[in-house]
Amino acid sequence: MRIVLIGPPGAGKGTQARVLAGLLAVPAVSSGDLFRVEVRQGTELGRLVRRHTDTGELVPDELTTTVVTRRLGQPDAADGFLLDGFPRTVRQAELLAESLAGDGTALDAVIALGLPDDEIVRRLTGRRMCPACGTTVHLVFSPPRVANRCDGCGGGLVRRADDGEETVLRRLAVHSAQTVPLLRWYADRQLLCHVDGSGTVPEVSERMSAALAAVRR
Ligand code: AMP
């Protein structure tokens, strides 16, 4: 299946994408993760995108789409993928649709994960991630077993550069202005289903699986 996961920052897209991609045996492809690798490695692309990611602004559409479609061209994504955080604008959605059509394929479903703003700010400001393996924890809701250490690989946990309160508020504003219009675009194409992102990780996964089962019928 070819699936897109849309949602405000902090709605749990990354966590849910990993769970669902495992169940569907397709790769989870996160545009944010692709950018963070470039930033960490100090590449030219990394330096370019950092100007946008550090302030919570979107990376330009053409550049983002090139990075993501290049990843989708790898063999493990040939039979399906779960996109997390891409597309985020109508223009990116158009470019993705063109690229898939060029390969004779199309999306099967778009899941919109929803969460109220105050809950998002609470989740994001307590979030910590492991740069080594990508695991995400929350200091209050899912604390690591050992303080500041990743349960998965033992690496040191860090706060994402863009998880400070001011940048979180900017990212939410960008989501409302640029990504919310995308929901209508996908609804018009009969691809969109809404899933409530509140509750525990298993509760949300269960809702997402049920939504996809309905699409497959
Ligand atoms: P995320 O990890 O999905 O929250 O993404 C982190 C940051 O990467 C965002 O705040 C943007 O600056 C950038 N980014 C990720 N995905 C996209 C996208 N589809 N379009 C533009 N910028 C993006």
Side-chain angles (χ1 to χ4, degrees):
M1 285 189 97
R2 294 176 177 83
I3 301 164
V4 161
L5 193 50
I6 298 180
K13 294 189 300 295
T15 304
Q16 293 300 336
R18 273 192 284 274
V19 174
L20 204 59
L23 291 173
L24 297 170
V26 296
V29 174
S30 152
S31 44
D33 282 351
L34 293 174
F35 289 148
R36 276 183 288 279
V37 168
E38 299 289 335
V39 169
R40 203 164 52 240
Q41 292 176 347
T43 63
E44 195 176 327
L45 174 62
R47 278 194 291 279
L48 199 67
V49 302
R50 197 171 172 176
R51 276 189 261 153
H52 306 279
T53 55
D54 274 2
T55 55
E57 301 297 330
L58 292 187
V59 176
D61 289 334
E62 269 71 13
L63 178 59
T64 303
T65 308
T66 303
V67 170
V68 174
T69 51
R70 196 172 58 195
R71 170 65 186 89
L72 296 183
Q74 290 177 16
D76 65 334
D79 295 328
F81 51 74
L82 203 158
L83 279 170
D84 155 20
F86 177 89
R88 260 172 156 97
T89 65
V90 170
R91 181 66 191 138
Q92 290 177 14
E94 289 169 348
L95 291 169
L96 174 65
E98 280 168 25
S99 168
L100 293 176
D103 294 335
T105 62
L107 292 176
D108 295 295
V110 175
I111 299 176
L113 205 54
L115 202 68
D117 279 7
D118 55 347
E119 177 66 16
I120 288 170
V121 174
R122 213 171 27 244
R123 283 195 189 183
L124 284 184
T125 48
R127 178 164 81 172
R128 298 293 180 272
M129 78 173 289
C130 172
C133 72
T135 298
T136 306
V137 302
H138 191 282
L139 297 182
V140 179
F141 307 131
S142 58
R145 284 195 292 272
V146 178
N148 293 321
R149 288 278 145 202
C150 172
D151 286 351
C153 73
L157 297 173
V158 298
R159 183 184 219 184
R160 268 175 52 173
D162 56 351
D163 274 352
E165 187 151 358
E166 196 181 319
T167 313
V168 164
L169 294 175
R170 181 67 203 137
R171 287 162 64 204
L172 281 175
V174 166
H175 175 79
S176 300
Q178 301 193 55
T179 306
V180 168
L182 182 57
L183 300 181
R184 168 121 305 278
W185 196 85
Y186 277 131
D188 288 346
R189 285 155 185 79
Q190 276 78 49
L191 283 168
L192 189 70
C193 42
H194 287 276
V195 170
D196 176 7
S198 58
T200 64
V201 171
E203 281 167 355
V204 179
S205 304
E206 188 61 37
R207 279 180 219 133
M208 292 198 13
S209 297
L212 279 183
V215 168
R216 280 169 137 168
R217 271 200 295 272

